[in-house]
Amino acid sequence: KRELEPLFVVQKTGKYEPVIELLPDFCPIVFNPANQIIHPARYWALFRNWKGQPLSESEEPTEWLYRGMDEVAGQVLAVLDEELQALKTAYFAATGAEGCHHVIPLADRLLDQY
C-alpha cells in the first residue's frame, strides 16, 4: 500500500484532497530543509553584529520574523542548504536509503510549494 487515509474527515472538493504518501524511511524528515536551517540563518543575520548589550528600539526585530529577511540571511540559508544536501548525498552513498530521493533543495521545494 502506497497511501494512507487521513485520520480525520476531509471534505472532498475534487480539486485538492490531502494524500498521505508512505515513504520508505525517515530520510525526508531528517534531511528536510526547513526549520533546522531557516531559523539559524535568520537569527544569525539578525544578531551578527550584536555586542552583548540590550538592543535599541531601532535594532529590535519586527514582529514578522521572516518578512524582513535580508540578502545576508538568504546567503547563509543557501550555504546551509548546500551543506544539508551534501550530508544527504553522503548518507545515501553510505546506506542507499531510498528516502533520500525525496529530499530536494530548499529553493526547488519553495518554488514547488508556492
Side-chain angles (χ1 to χ4, degrees), residues 13-53:
T13 62
K15 191 171 184 180
Y16 301 108
E17 282 92 28
V19 176
I20 302 170
E21 182 183 338
L22 293 175
L23 297 173
D25 51 47
F26 283 99
C27 290
I29 296 167
V30 172
F31 295 112
N32 178 28
N35 291 341
Q36 69 265 38
I37 64 172
I38 293 172
H39 290 90
R42 178 59 173 143
Y43 281 107
W44 184 85
L46 278 173
F47 298 109
R48 67 187 180 270
N49 297 318
W50 187 58
K51 306 290 188 225
Q53 299 299 318

